[in-house]
Amino acid sequence: MGKLIRLELFNFKSYKGHHTLLFGDSYFTSIIGPNGSGKSNSMDAISFVLGIKSSHLRSSHLRDLIYRGRVLKTATVNEDGSTTEKQANGQASTQEGESQDPKTAWVMAVYEDDAGDEQEWKRTISNQGTSEYRINNRQVTAAQYNEALEAENILIKARNFLVFQGDVEAIASQSPKDLTRLIEQISGSLEFKAEYEKLSGQAEEAAENQAHHLNRRRAINSEIKQYQEQKREAESYARKADERDQAIVTHILWKLFHFQRTIDESTKEIQKHQDELKEYRRSVEKFERSLEKAKKEQAQVGREVSRIDRGIKGKENEIEEKENALIPIDEKIDISNRKLQKLRGRITEISKERDSQSSTIKSLSKDLRTVERAQATWEAEWRRASESEGRQLSEADLQEYNHLKEEVNRRSAENRIRVDNLRRQAKADEETVNSLKSRVDSNQWQVQTLQAEIDKIRERKTAVDETIRSTSREIDSKKKEFNRLTSERLNSSQKRTELEEKLQEVLKKLVEADDGKRQSEREIRIRETIATLKRIFPGVKGRVSELCKPRQKKYSEAVSVVLGRNIDAIVVDNEKTAKDCIQHLRDQRAGQATFIPLETIQTKAINSNLKGMHRGMRMAIDTIDYDSAYERAMSYACGNSIVCDDLDVAKYVCYEKGVEAKAVTLDGTVIHKGGLMTGGRGPGQQNARRWDEPEIAALQKMKDNYLAELARMPKGHRRGTEEETLQGELTGLDQRLAYAREETQAFERNLESKTRELDFAQRQLQEVRPKYNEKQRSLNQLKESIQEIQSSIDNVEDEVFANFCQRLGYHNIREYEVQQGSLQQEASQKKLEFTTQKSKLQHQLNFETERLQATENRISSIEAQIERDEALIEQLEQEKEVLANELDVLNAELEQLKEELEEQQTKYADRAEHVAAQRREVQKRSKNVDGTLKAIAGLEAEIQRTASNRYTILRRCKLEDISIPLTDDSASLDQLPIDVVQGDDPDAMDIDEPDTTTFQTQAISDYGIEVDFEDLEDNLKESGEEKVDEELQEKISTLNADLEKLSPNMRAVERLEGVESRLRTVEKEFEDARRAAKKSRDEFQAVKERRFELFNKAFTHISDQIGNIYRDLTMSTDVPLGGQAYLDIEDSDAPYLAGIKYHAMPPLKRFRDMEHLSGGEKTIAALALLFAVHSYQPSPFFVLDEVDAALDNVNVERVANYIRSHGGPGMQFVVISLKMRLFERSEGLVGVFRDQVAGSSRCITLDVGFDSWVLGADILTRNVVAEIPLK
């Protein structure tokens, strides 16, 4: 598409002189300026040059669009109203009432098409209100001017390129009808509105005219049919009277012929049955005696079978009780064995501990003896060593030594006393320290031993706790399984009870329905035949009785009587299917059937006058439900028959109202068309049970389903083996859990005792160790004191013994004394070591002895428990063995009873078969006797009835003067008596006669009358069925009814000719009206389709676009999906006659009607609709006048972004706006301002690059093109 390059104005509205609005290469141009500057006049200029009417240009007349100057400040007003303008030289010019305003104005739009060629569209107006149109400076008419604009897709009528100031608010608040009109304007379908309404009225008028002539023709045709029928009735009246008389004679002959045949055949059959009866009776007596004997034998065997069966059940109950008693015994034995195994394992562990303790005691005793032997050996060696190593001094040296020793003692007596005292004290302290050290070591060893035992007890307790937890989990699992099985058993039992109750209810209904053996072999054969026909021929629908059903059960008997012989008629789709079915029946020799072809069956229209005649009657066809596809078949079967509540209603309708229709009461009584009444139990009542067959079949199916479900369900009266096993396992697990908990408690008690011992030993250790440490420090200090005093004593000795030691060769006197006293000192040290070691060993030996005694006690306790458990196991084994022996005995007895039962059952079956055979023989003979007696009685009754019927017919012929053919030897009907009763009363009730061996056949008198049957047709002679009788009677009834209906009109032919002449005239007028109606209808349909096509095309396009456009206008970074908008059409068949609703849902808001939206939301929704409308057949440019007036900055920016993003080749936007956020996004700006001096609007065009615009009032421009009009 092209674009608008520039707009030139000359003296247009507020623009004085020549002005140019340049749009250049910009696809988004904003026209800006202050209020009153003339911005909207530029919009009017664009509208004006593109052919918009003056009413849309804010002017009432075209001449108001020409520039009209105002009185300038330099002019003065004269007394006559003229103005005088001051000249430069001070002189004035006078205007004598004549204005200096322009006389003409024009606007020219320069448009560049796709080829790059410029087109100049120019429109000029004068002050006289005339317009002139020019294209490229060539004058054209307004129509040509519009065509040129439409060629560029600028639609003046639709105004698809303009949005005036205020249009947005109008669109936002417009009604659905207004929106429909807008789319009609855009689509062009509005042009067809007047023609549509005109042709619609013409089509309706033509249709009414056609209907009028059609009704006239139908009325005349009805008269013609009436007169033709009267003519045919007159002609056929005589023929039908002859046919009726002949039909009556034929019917009488047919009856008499078959009456005579029946009498002859029955007489022969009676004689034959009397011969057979004697033989049957002799045979029956013989087999009855055999049957009684067989019954006695069977009863005896049956009692024996019952006795044995009771014994078996008793044994089975005993075996079950014994087996149930074995389960807890086995579980107890198993638990006891496991407990015994654990106790033995415990004894083994404790025995190992005892052996370890015994070996420890032996080792300690051995060590103690070893220490004692070592002490004795040392003492002996010490004595020998002291004797052998001691050095002997001389007597003088010894005296000198003693003298010196005395001197030393004298000089160091005090110190020696102190040393001796200290040494005695040190010795006592050493013994105390050694004792405390022994106690510390013993306590440390005891703490370690107790800690090890506690750890071991805790490990064993942890293992037992884990066993308790696993056993508890296993118990929970077993209990859940046990509860599940119990629940399933109870649910199964409950479900079985419910099913049995439902089964009993169904069986009760079946018994009440008494469906047992009601279907005869013929009915079963008919069903199989119809099923075969349905399978072979798809056109076979089924029998009438299968395709319909009485609406209420009370109508069942009446409907079956109404349908009569048609109740078994087979409905097919067409005549060909019927013929194919008949041929199939003939080939298969499957009998006869009546077929009703839906396509060709002739049905009489239902007499609507019969409806509502009496509230106690209704049409028979209204009392049944059927598929509409079979309506013709049901209409044929029911005809005009009516169903009455009782006989009084039927008599009222048939006799008093004179309705010639078959009336049937609810109990099956019939009043025929001719007035004949039929009542009593007949075949119709048996047919009435057919309607219950689907219900009975459903009950049978339910019974089978219930029996199948009961057979699939498990026995619920007793617990199963799995449940009993779980019960036994739970008992064992409970005992195991109890034992484990007892063991845990024992461990806890033992652990508590050991913990107390450990705490006591630790307290003892804590008490002794500080004492030991304190004594050890005291001893060390005492030894240091002794060492100090001993040093002073040594100094004294060195001084006194200096010469003595030098002479004897000793370093000092202590060396001599050591040599002599070392043995004593060593002996004391050794003695102390031996004493300490012996004390420690003795203490350990005592402790281990006590532990060994406790271990022996524990072993004794466990051994006692083992003995008790072994005794319990032995007792349980004995009980188990007793029960097993009893079970073996019971099983053996059970097997013996089963063998006896099987033997007796076989014997019982033989006796039962023998009884059944004898009963069958008796029944067979008795059935033969009964059948023969019944046959004879029936034949006798048949002869009597037939003779009576024959007499009745002959009597009727005599009374009604019916002439029947007689043989030459026959007597005349005049000799027939009138008041003679022939045989037994035919209406008397049949009773059973006593058994007799012979029957005397009563003589039947024919009064010498012999009928000649030569004129009777052979086919009537062959068939004596009731169906033939019905057909003959029906024929007679039909002929009588036809004769009664016929009332010939002798003037029917004469009137027929006049009516036919009128018909030809009316048919000609009807044909003319039909052609005119077809023409009007076709013309209207063409306009309707064209209008619908244009409207629907535009609506579909706008509806598809509006959602995306509204989403683009409302989406943001916070709401990237934007809002939703759509159009909803009220009438899809004729949308231009109804309204269109516009729905918009802003982002993050719920749905609301348009009138509940805010002003900005309405404006955005209206703009979305305008842009969507413009997208349909878009013009190359789109001019918007202050559409953003009601928008805030955010929405203004969204609209600006939308216009900026969609502006480009094929879509040029020219926007008049005062909002900076909109025009700052423009590619070009056209500034309009008011030149107050010149009294004119002026403009400046700016080409603003997208990268050079800035916010605020200061706009940095580029490529400024300023047009300043010349003064």
Side-chain angles (χ1 to χ4, degrees):
M1 290 184 180
K3 63 174 295 186
L4 194 62
I5 301 299
R6 66 181 181 274
L7 186 69
E8 297 183 13
L9 298 82
F10 180 75
N11 291 333
F12 184 80
K13 295 190 83 171
S14 64
Y15 293 87
K16 179 181 180 181
H18 185 269
H19 298 268
T20 302
L21 278 70
L22 292 177
F23 304 122
D25 296 332
S26 172
Y27 288 101
F28 179 13
T29 303
S30 294
I31 301 175
I32 61 176
N35 290 329
S37 62
K39 300 187 302 299
S40 296
N41 289 339
S42 62
M43 174 76 168
D44 294 340
I46 296 174
S47 306
F48 170 74
V49 74
L50 296 178
I52 300 300
K53 295 180 180 180
S54 61
S55 59
H56 298 290
L57 304 179
R58 301 178 295 169
S59 298
S60 59
H61 301 92
L62 284 175
R63 62 176 177 268
D64 295 336
L65 301 177
I66 302 174
Y67 175 79
R68 298 179 65 185
R70 299 292 181 263
V71 179
L72 302 176
K73 293 181 180 180
T74 57
T76 59
V77 181
N78 300 324
E79 295 179 356
D80 56 0
S82 62
T83 59
T84 302
E85 185 177 356
K86 295 179 181 180
Q87 300 296 330
N89 54 8
Q91 299 177 352
S93 60
T94 303
Q95 298 176 355
E96 300 293 334
E98 184 177 348
S99 176
Q100 297 298 322
D101 290 340
K103 305 297 183 183
T104 62
W106 56 264
V107 178
M108 181 174 68
V110 180
Y111 176 79
E112 181 181 325
D113 59 16
D114 294 336
D117 299 332
E118 291 186 358
Q119 298 183 24
E120 296 179 352
W121 299 328
K122 183 177 181 182
R123 183 180 179 187
T124 306
I125 55 172
S126 66
N127 57 0
Q128 303 297 324
T130 60
S131 294
E132 179 183 274
Y133 298 92
R134 288 181 178 273
I135 298 177
N136 295 329
N137 207 21
R138 179 174 56 85
Q139 186 174 354
V140 296
T141 63
Q144 292 173 338
Y145 193 80
N146 289 341
E147 289 176 359
L149 293 176
E150 289 179 358
E152 297 298 332
N153 212 22
I154 301 173
L155 307 178
I156 297 174
K157 294 181 180 180
R159 296 195 313 176
N160 64 334
F161 57 91
L162 295 173
V163 179
F164 287 104
Q165 186 174 357
D167 284 357
V168 174
E169 289 79 1
I171 289 174
S173 59
Q174 66 183 351
S175 65
K177 285 283 188 180
D178 295 334
L179 183 55
T180 303
R181 183 176 179 82
L182 174 62
I183 296 179
E184 277 209 278
Q185 290 175 348
I186 295 299
S187 64
S189 64
L190 189 61
E191 299 176 3
F192 296 92
K193 180 178 180 182
E195 187 178 3
Y196 176 90
E197 293 175 351
K198 174 185 173 184
L199 293 176
S200 176
Q202 291 177 357
E204 291 178 359
E205 183 179 356
E208 291 177 0
N209 190 26
Q210 180 187 0
H212 172 69
H213 288 91
L214 177 62
N215 291 332
R216 289 184 59 196
R217 191 181 71 167
R218 287 178 176 172
I220 295 174
N221 281 329
S222 178
E223 291 183 26
I224 290 176
K225 289 181 180 179
Q226 182 179 1
Y227 291 130
Q228 288 176 346
E229 183 67 25
Q230 291 177 358
K231 180 182 177 181
R232 286 194 296 271
E233 287 180 358
E235 292 174 351
S236 64
Y237 186 81
R239 291 196 304 271
K240 287 189 179 293
D242 296 338
E243 289 179 6
R244 181 199 57 188
D245 295 341
Q246 184 60 36
I248 292 173
V249 172
T250 302
H251 184 224
I252 291 173
L253 288 176
W254 177 81
K255 280 192 171 183
L256 291 174
F257 177 79
H258 287 287
F259 287 160
Q260 188 61 42
R261 174 182 288 180
T262 301
I263 291 172
D264 296 340
E265 291 177 354
S266 298
T267 303
K268 294 179 181 178
E269 285 295 324
I270 287 173
Q271 186 60 42
K272 179 181 177 182
H273 288 320
Q274 286 178 346
D275 295 339
E276 294 174 352
L277 184 61
K278 296 178 181 179
E279 184 64 28
Y280 288 154
R281 294 199 172 210
R282 286 194 294 267
S283 178
V284 166
E285 294 175 357
K286 174 182 176 182
F287 281 98
E288 283 180 347
R289 291 190 296 270
S290 300
L291 175 61
E292 289 299 325
K293 181 179 179 182
K295 282 182 178 180
K296 292 179 180 179
E297 295 176 354
Q298 182 190 13
Q300 184 177 1
V301 176
R303 287 190 295 272
E304 187 66 21
V305 169
S306 299
R307 182 187 63 78
I308 296 174
D309 187 52
R310 288 193 300 273
I312 289 175
K313 289 182 180 178
K315 293 298 180 183
E316 288 177 346
N317 292 333
E318 291 180 11
I319 290 173
E320 183 179 359
E321 292 175 358
K322 298 296 182 183
E323 290 177 348
N324 293 337
L326 273 177
I327 292 175
I329 292 176
D330 291 336
E331 187 64 25
K332 288 179 181 179
I333 292 173
D334 183 50
I335 293 172
S336 300
N337 284 327
R338 288 197 298 268
K339 182 178 178 182
L340 191 63
Q341 185 177 359
K342 288 183 179 180
L343 291 175
R344 287 172 178 168
R346 184 74 185 281
I347 286 179
T348 302
E349 294 176 359
I350 297 175
S351 297
K352 291 179 181 179
E353 184 178 350
R354 182 189 62 185
D355 296 341
S356 175
Q357 293 171 354
S358 299
S359 62
T360 301
I361 291 172
K362 290 179 180 179
S363 175
L364 291 173
S365 300
K366 182 179 178 181
D367 292 342
L368 183 61
R369 288 193 298 274
T370 302
V371 170
E372 291 175 349
R373 287 195 299 272
Q375 183 178 6
T377 302
W378 174 81
E379 289 177 349
E381 289 179 353
W382 179 78
R383 285 192 297 271
R384 287 193 300 272
S386 62
E387 292 176 358
S388 61
E389 292 182 359
R391 181 181 296 179
Q392 298 293 328
L393 293 177
S394 64
E395 187 66 26
D397 291 337
L398 185 61
Q399 290 178 357
E400 185 180 0
Y401 170 78
N402 292 328
H403 175 75
L404 292 175
K405 191 70 175 174
E406 291 177 356
E407 179 65 18
V408 170
N409 289 334
R410 185 181 56 79
R411 294 175 60 180
S412 59
E414 185 179 356
N415 288 334
R416 285 186 177 277
I417 293 171
R418 291 178 60 191
V419 166
D420 292 338
N421 293 332
L422 290 176
R423 282 179 177 172
R424 285 193 296 272
Q425 184 178 354
K427 185 175 181 181
D429 290 346
E430 283 181 356
E431 291 178 355
T432 302
V433 168
N434 290 333
S435 176
L436 290 175
K437 187 175 183 300
S438 175
R439 289 178 63 187
V440 167
D441 293 340
S442 176
N443 288 331
Q444 285 181 344
W445 179 83
Q446 188 176 3
V447 167
Q448 293 175 355
T449 303
L450 289 173
Q451 188 65 47
E453 291 181 356
I454 288 173
D455 293 340
K456 187 174 182 180
I457 291 172
R458 285 175 176 170
E459 289 178 0
R460 294 177 61 185
K461 181 177 179 296
T462 302
V464 174
D465 290 339
E466 181 62 28
T467 302
I468 290 174
R469 286 192 293 272
S470 62
T471 305
S472 299
R473 289 195 297 269
E474 189 174 359
I475 288 174
D476 293 339
S477 175
K478 296 291 185 181
K479 283 184 177 179
K480 289 180 180 178
E481 182 67 17
F482 179 76
N483 293 334
R484 183 184 65 80
L485 292 175
T486 304
S487 177
E488 288 180 356
R489 176 171 58 81
L490 295 177
N491 291 338
S492 175
S493 177
Q494 183 178 2
K495 188 174 181 182
R496 172 180 289 275
T497 303
E498 292 176 356
L499 287 175
E500 288 176 350
E501 291 177 354
K502 292 179 180 179
L503 179 61
Q504 291 298 326
E505 186 176 356
V506 170
L507 291 174
K508 182 179 179 181
K509 290 181 180 179
L510 285 174
V511 170
E512 291 176 355
D514 194 17
D515 185 63
K517 300 179 180 179
R518 288 192 177 272
Q519 293 185 352
S520 62
E521 294 182 1
R522 178 176 175 274
E523 178 68 19
I524 296 174
R525 188 167 60 253
I526 291 175
R527 287 179 179 273
E528 294 175 352
T529 302
I530 293 175
T532 303
L533 293 177
K534 284 184 178 180
R535 187 172 60 254
I536 298 174
F537 305 107
V540 177
K541 309 300 182 183
R543 289 189 294 177
V544 172
S545 60
E546 298 170 351
L547 300 178
C548 68
K549 183 179 180 181
R551 293 186 175 178
Q552 298 182 25
K553 195 169 184 179
K554 66 179 182 178
Y555 297 137
S556 299
E557 189 167 343
V559 170
S560 62
V561 173
V562 168
L563 295 177
R565 59 183 181 180
N566 291 323
I567 196 169
D568 288 325
I570 302 173
V571 178
V572 295
D573 53 356
N574 51 43
E575 188 175 353
K576 181 179 181 302
T577 303
K579 291 180 179 179
D580 294 342
C581 292
I582 292 172
Q583 184 62 39
H584 175 79
L585 294 176
R586 185 180 293 113
D587 295 341
Q588 300 296 325
R589 294 185 179 182
Q592 296 179 347
T594 301
F595 295 86
I596 302 178
L598 293 172
E599 285 187 0
T600 58
I601 190 67
Q602 298 296 325
T603 60
K604 295 181 180 179
I606 296 175
N607 187 357
S608 59
N609 295 328
L610 297 178
K611 294 184 178 181
M613 182 175 291
H614 192 280
R615 66 178 183 179
M617 62 152 285
R618 61 209 53 80
M619 300 300 296
I621 198 169
D622 294 336
T623 62
I624 59 175
D625 288 327
Y626 55 88
D627 195 325
S628 59
Y630 311 129
E631 183 174 3
R632 291 174 57 83
M634 299 306 158
S635 298
Y636 171 78
C638 295
N640 279 328
S641 300
I642 59 176
V643 176
C644 302
D645 291 345
D646 51 35
L647 187 58
D648 294 336
V649 176
K651 289 180 180 180
Y652 170 79
V653 172
C654 294
Y655 296 154
E656 296 184 19
K657 289 293 185 179
V659 174
E660 295 183 356
K662 183 178 180 181
V664 182
T665 63
L666 296 181
D667 59 0
T669 303
V670 185
I671 299 180
H672 298 276
K673 294 180 181 179
L676 181 63
M677 185 184 300
T678 304
R681 179 172 296 275
Q685 292 179 332
Q686 181 64 28
N687 291 332
R689 297 188 61 83
R690 296 191 182 188
W691 315 120
D692 299 332
E693 291 177 1
E695 182 179 354
I696 293 173
L699 290 174
Q700 288 285 359
K701 188 174 181 181
M702 290 173 62
K703 182 192 75 172
D704 296 339
N705 293 337
Y706 289 153
L707 289 175
E709 289 184 19
L710 286 172
R712 288 193 300 269
M713 289 182 62
K715 301 295 184 181
H717 64 281
R718 51 176 290 186
R719 296 196 298 178
T721 306
E722 186 177 0
E723 190 175 352
E724 294 174 350
T725 303
L726 284 174
Q727 181 67 37
E729 291 177 356
L730 280 173
T731 303
L733 290 172
D734 289 336
Q735 294 180 357
R736 186 192 306 174
L737 181 62
Y739 173 75
R741 286 175 175 170
E742 291 176 359
E743 192 172 4
T744 301
Q745 293 175 358
F747 281 139
E748 290 177 351
R749 290 192 298 271
N750 195 4
L751 183 63
E752 183 178 359
S753 175
K754 293 294 182 182
T755 304
R756 286 197 300 270
E757 292 180 12
L758 177 63
D759 292 341
F760 177 77
Q762 289 176 345
R763 287 195 303 272
Q764 290 291 326
L765 181 62
Q766 291 175 357
E767 291 176 358
V768 173
R769 181 172 289 169
K771 294 179 180 180
Y772 167 75
N773 294 332
E774 181 66 23
K775 286 293 182 181
Q776 186 68 42
R777 285 194 301 271
S778 177
L779 179 63
N780 292 334
Q781 292 175 358
L782 187 62
K783 285 181 179 181
E784 291 176 358
S785 299
I786 292 171
Q787 187 68 31
E788 291 177 357
I789 298 172
Q790 186 65 42
S791 297
S792 62
I793 294 173
D794 291 342
N795 293 331
V796 174
E797 286 180 347
D798 291 341
E799 181 181 355
V800 173
F801 286 97
N803 296 328
F804 182 80
C805 291
Q806 184 176 7
R807 183 173 55 82
L808 293 177
Y810 290 100
H811 183 264
N812 52 42
I813 194 62
R814 288 185 298 280
E815 182 178 353
Y816 169 77
E817 290 176 351
V818 166
Q819 183 178 2
Q820 294 298 316
S822 61
L823 292 175
Q824 295 294 330
Q825 187 177 0
E826 183 180 356
S828 300
Q829 184 67 28
K830 279 289 186 180
K831 287 180 181 179
L832 180 61
E833 291 178 357
F834 281 127
T835 302
T836 301
Q837 191 171 5
K838 285 168 62 179
S839 176
K840 182 178 180 181
L841 290 174
Q842 187 63 43
H843 183 77
Q844 291 180 355
L845 182 61
N846 293 334
F847 178 76
E848 291 295 334
T849 303
E850 292 176 358
R851 287 185 61 199
L852 178 62
Q853 184 63 37
T855 303
E856 290 288 350
N857 294 335
R858 287 166 59 194
I859 292 175
S860 300
S861 175
I862 294 174
E863 286 177 348
Q865 183 65 36
I866 290 174
E867 290 178 359
R868 290 195 296 274
D869 290 344
E870 287 177 347
L872 177 62
I873 292 173
E874 183 177 358
Q875 180 182 356
L876 292 174
E877 289 289 349
Q878 292 175 357
E879 293 179 2
K880 180 179 178 181
E881 184 177 359
V882 171
L883 289 175
N885 294 333
E886 293 177 355
L887 274 175
D888 292 340
V889 173
L890 291 174
N891 285 324
E893 293 176 353
L894 180 62
E895 290 297 327
Q896 184 177 358
L897 288 174
K898 286 183 178 179
E899 292 177 359
E900 293 179 4
L901 178 63
E902 185 177 357
E903 181 181 353
Q904 293 297 326
Q905 285 178 340
T906 303
K907 190 180 297 184
Y908 183 80
D910 295 339
R911 297 292 188 275
E913 181 61 28
H914 181 62
V915 169
Q918 294 297 325
R919 183 179 286 109
R920 285 194 297 271
E921 290 296 332
V922 171
Q923 290 176 351
K924 181 178 178 182
R925 269 64 179 181
S926 300
K927 189 182 296 182
N928 292 336
V929 173
D930 296 339
T932 303
L933 291 173
K934 290 181 180 178
I936 294 173
L939 291 172
E940 285 286 344
E942 183 67 22
I943 290 175
Q944 294 294 329
R945 285 194 296 271
T946 304
S948 176
N949 291 336
R950 180 175 179 275
Y951 169 78
T952 302
I953 290 175
L954 293 175
R955 181 173 177 274
R956 175 190 170 193
C957 293
K958 178 178 180 180
L959 294 176
E960 296 181 4
D961 198 16
I962 298 174
S963 178
I964 58 174
L966 301 174
T967 60
D968 297 338
D969 300 333
S970 173
S972 174
L973 288 176
D974 297 336
Q975 298 180 4
L976 184 70
I978 299 301
D979 298 328
V980 176
V981 177
Q982 183 71 26
D984 295 336
D985 185 2
D987 295 330
M989 182 183 297
D990 294 337
I991 60 173
D992 294 335
E993 298 291 340
D995 293 339
T996 56
T997 56
T998 60
F999 288 86
Q1000 299 296 328
T1001 303
Q1002 298 182 5
I1004 304 301
S1005 174
D1006 56 6
Y1007 304 101
I1009 298 173
E1010 297 180 4
V1011 182
D1012 188 1
F1013 300 108
E1014 291 183 0
D1015 295 337
L1016 188 62
E1017 297 178 1
D1018 294 338
N1019 59 341
L1020 294 177
K1021 291 180 179 180
E1022 293 176 359
S1023 176
E1025 296 179 358
E1026 185 178 354
K1027 183 177 180 180
V1028 177
D1029 183 32
E1030 292 178 356
E1031 291 176 354
L1032 293 175
Q1033 286 184 351
E1034 184 68 23
K1035 183 177 180 181
I1036 295 171
S1037 299
T1038 302
L1039 291 173
N1040 282 328
D1042 293 342
L1043 288 173
E1044 291 175 0
K1045 291 178 181 178
L1046 291 177
S1047 55
N1049 185 1
M1050 306 310 297
R1051 300 181 62 187
V1053 177
E1054 180 181 332
R1055 293 182 179 179
L1056 181 60
E1057 293 176 355
V1059 176
E1060 288 176 346
S1061 176
R1062 278 195 298 133
L1063 177 63
R1064 287 189 291 271
T1065 302
V1066 172
E1067 282 184 342
K1068 182 177 180 302
E1069 294 175 355
F1070 170 73
E1071 189 64 27
D1072 295 339
R1074 186 186 64 79
R1075 284 194 294 269
K1078 183 178 184 302
K1079 180 181 178 183
S1080 299
R1081 189 167 55 252
D1082 293 343
E1083 292 175 352
F1084 171 71
Q1085 190 65 26
V1087 173
K1088 179 181 178 181
E1089 291 176 356
R1090 179 58 179 163
R1091 187 180 183 187
F1092 178 80
E1093 179 183 359
L1094 292 173
F1095 186 90
N1096 194 51
K1097 182 178 179 182
F1099 174 78
T1100 302
H1101 175 83
I1102 295 170
S1103 180
D1104 293 340
Q1105 294 295 324
I1106 195 167
N1108 298 329
I1109 294 173
Y1110 186 75
R1111 184 169 59 252
D1112 293 341
L1113 286 174
T1114 56
M1115 68 180 180
S1116 62
T1117 56
D1118 296 333
V1119 188
L1121 297 179
Q1124 298 180 7
Y1126 62 93
L1127 296 176
D1128 186 11
I1129 196 168
E1130 293 180 353
D1131 187 358
S1132 58
D1133 295 331
Y1136 39 77
L1137 298 179
I1140 295 176
K1141 291 183 179 180
Y1142 177 33
H1143 302 287
M1145 186 165 62
L1148 304 178
K1149 291 190 177 182
R1150 60 184 178 85
F1151 173 81
R1152 290 185 294 180
D1153 292 335
M1154 185 66 71
E1155 59 267 18
H1156 296 153
L1157 299 180
S1158 65
E1161 292 170 345
K1162 287 182 181 179
T1163 303
I1164 290 293
L1167 286 175
L1169 178 60
L1170 286 173
F1171 291 146
V1173 169
H1174 181 264
S1175 66
Y1176 177 74
Q1177 295 182 353
S1179 63
F1181 50 84
F1182 197 23
V1183 185
L1184 307 172
D1185 186 5
E1186 294 190 20
V1187 297
D1188 55 353
L1191 298 179
D1192 56 10
N1193 291 333
V1194 175
N1195 287 321
V1196 169
E1197 188 172 357
R1198 289 176 180 173
V1199 174
N1201 290 334
Y1202 178 84
I1203 295 175
R1204 179 76 183 191
S1205 62
H1206 288 78
M1211 179 60 73
Q1212 179 185 10
F1213 287 94
V1214 177
V1215 182
I1216 299 173
S1217 176
L1218 291 173
K1219 298 294 182 68
M1220 186 175 62
R1221 285 186 179 270
L1222 189 142
F1223 63 72
E1224 69 184 3
R1225 302 284 291 172
S1226 303
E1227 297 176 355
L1229 292 175
V1230 175
V1232 179
F1233 63 94
R1234 182 74 176 175
D1235 188 348
Q1236 297 295 341
V1237 177
S1240 171
S1241 297
R1242 301 184 66 183
C1243 61
I1244 297 177
T1245 302
L1246 305 176
D1247 182 9
V1248 183
F1250 183 75
D1251 56 349
S1252 64
W1253 63 273
V1254 295
L1255 297 176
D1258 297 328
I1259 301 178
L1260 182 62
T1261 63
R1262 182 176 60 191
N1263 299 329
V1264 178
V1265 180
E1267 182 206 354
I1268 303 176
L1270 297 176
K1271 294 184 180 178

